[in-house]
Amino acid sequence: MAGVKATPGQGAVGIAEVRTKSTAIILFGSPGSGKGTQAKYLVEWLRIPQISTGDMLREHIRSGDAIGKAIVERMRAGSLVSDELVNQLVFERIHQPDAERGFILDGYPRTTAQAEEMMRLLAAAEAREVVIHLVVDYNIIISRIAGRRVCPKCGTLYNAVSRPPKTEGVCDLDGTKLVVRDDDREEVVRERLAQYERQTQPLIEFFRATSERMIEVDASHDAPEVVFERIRVQLKDLVRQ
Ligand code: AMP
C-alpha cells in the first residue's frame, strides 16, 4: 500500500508486546471512513492479518464461482449480502493458521446478527475484541469516495485529494490504470451510506453497551498517518489492561 509505513521510532510492535491472548480488532466505520487504510497500518504494526469481508466477496465475484454468482447483483446495488454467508466466510477465515495470534476485521460485523455471531465465535476461539470506531462526517465521506480510485491489480487505494498517485490515473506500484470500484459509484455510495445508517450504526450502540474495549477516533480531517497515531496510542493503553 502506497505510503503505509511505520514512522521512525515507532517500529513494528510484536503482538505479544501489546496483548496477552488472541485479539480481534474490529475496525468500524462507514464506507469512506478510511477503514481499509487504517487496517493496512494495523497489519504492518501488529503483524496480524486483515480480514476484509468486502475483499473476500469481491474475490468470489472475480473468480466467478457459485458464491460470486449468487451475490453479484446485491453487491452491485450496494446492498448487504446475507448474514449466513459472511458469518461462514469469517468463521472459515479466522481458523486459518495465520489468524491464530489475532486478526483485524474490516467491514464485519455489519448487522446485529453478525455482531452476536461474532461475539460467540470470539468466545469460542478465546479471542477478545477491541473495537475501533472511526468517526467521520457524512459530507466529507461523499466527497472522499467520489475521488477514490483503486488499482485493479494490487488493490492499492488512491484519492484525488488526500492520496493522489504520482502520475494521474496510474498505480505508483505497478503502473496499472486505476479504476473506480463498481460500488464507489455515487448512487451506490448513497445506498451504502443509507444501509450503514440503518443497519450498522446500531452496532455502535451494541458495542458501547457490550464491549469494555472500544476506541472512538475522529477520522474526519486529519491525514491517515495522524489518525493512525491516535489509534496506536489508545490501542496500546487498552490492550495492556
Ligand atoms: P466494503 O468493501 O467493506 O465496503 O464492502 C463492499 C460490499 O460488500 C458491501 O456494500 C456489501 O455489499 C458487501 N459486504 C461486505 N461486508 C459485508 C458484511 N459484513 N455483511 C454483508 N455484506 C457485506
Side-chain angles (χ1 to χ4, degrees):
M1 162 122 223
V4 177
K5 288 202 175 62
T7 51
Q10 180 176 306
V13 178
I15 186 92
E17 289 175 43
V18 290
R19 64 167 176 78
T20 51
K21 60 177 182 172
S22 173
T23 300
I25 294 184
I26 300 153
L27 203 44
F28 216 3
S30 66
S33 63
K35 276 199 314 286
T37 302
Q38 295 303 329
K40 298 267 188 303
Y41 282 120
L42 287 163
V43 166
E44 186 158 321
W45 180 42
L46 297 171
R47 307 280 184 216
I48 53 175
Q50 171 190 5
I51 299 180
S52 157
T53 43
D55 284 350
M56 288 195 282
L57 294 166
R58 279 186 288 277
E59 188 50 43
H60 279 287
I61 291 177
R62 242 193 312 275
S63 77
D65 65 10
I67 292 178
K69 289 194 176 106
I71 61 176
V72 66
E73 287 312 319
R74 292 193 71 78
M75 293 270 292
R76 279 226 174 99
S79 307
L80 296 184
V81 308
S82 78
D83 291 334
E84 290 72 20
L85 174 63
V86 285
N87 286 342
Q88 183 63 26
L89 291 176
V90 170
F91 174 82
E92 286 165 10
R93 182 63 188 86
I94 70 173
H95 287 94
Q96 301 290 313
D98 67 328
E100 227 167 56
R101 298 182 312 126
F103 45 86
I104 297 155
L105 290 171
D106 165 11
Y108 176 91
R110 284 259 231 300
T111 65
T112 308
Q114 290 176 23
E116 286 167 353
E117 177 61 14
M118 185 204 69
M119 291 305 244
R120 273 193 294 276
L121 282 180
L122 295 187
E126 295 192 342
R128 63 178 183 174
E129 83 295 343
V130 175
V131 182
I132 301 174
H133 177 205
L134 302 175
V135 183
V136 279
D137 178 273
Y138 181 90
N139 290 322
I140 291 177
I141 290 175
I142 294 276
S143 63
R144 222 185 242 182
I145 296 184
R148 194 147 87 168
R149 300 290 179 274
V150 66
C151 172
K153 192 169 174 197
C154 70
T156 300
L157 284 175
Y158 295 90
N159 188 284
V161 180
S162 59
R163 194 180 285 282
K166 290 194 187 92
T167 309
E168 202 187 319
V170 176
C171 180
D172 291 347
L173 303 185
D174 52 35
T176 307
K177 192 171 182 293
L178 303 178
V179 298
V180 177
R181 241 172 45 173
D182 243 9
D183 52 4
D184 280 347
R185 284 176 292 119
E186 186 167 336
E187 66 278 17
V188 179
V189 170
R190 288 190 187 282
E191 173 58 22
R192 287 168 67 204
L193 286 173
Q195 289 271 359
Y196 180 78
E197 281 296 314
R198 221 169 22 245
Q199 291 187 287
T200 315
Q201 190 71 23
L203 290 186
I204 291 163
E205 298 311 323
F206 173 91
F207 284 116
R208 280 190 189 131
T210 58
S211 179
E212 292 164 10
R213 292 169 294 274
M214 180 165 184
I215 305 172
E216 306 212 48
V217 178
D218 177 9
S220 281
H221 306 288
D222 298 306
E225 293 83 358
V226 177
V227 174
F228 177 62
E229 186 55 21
R230 266 182 214 132
I231 293 175
R232 210 176 62 83
V233 168
Q234 292 194 54
L235 200 59
K236 267 187 153 174
D237 284 350
L238 253 189
V239 290
R240 279 205 177 109
Q241 281 170 14

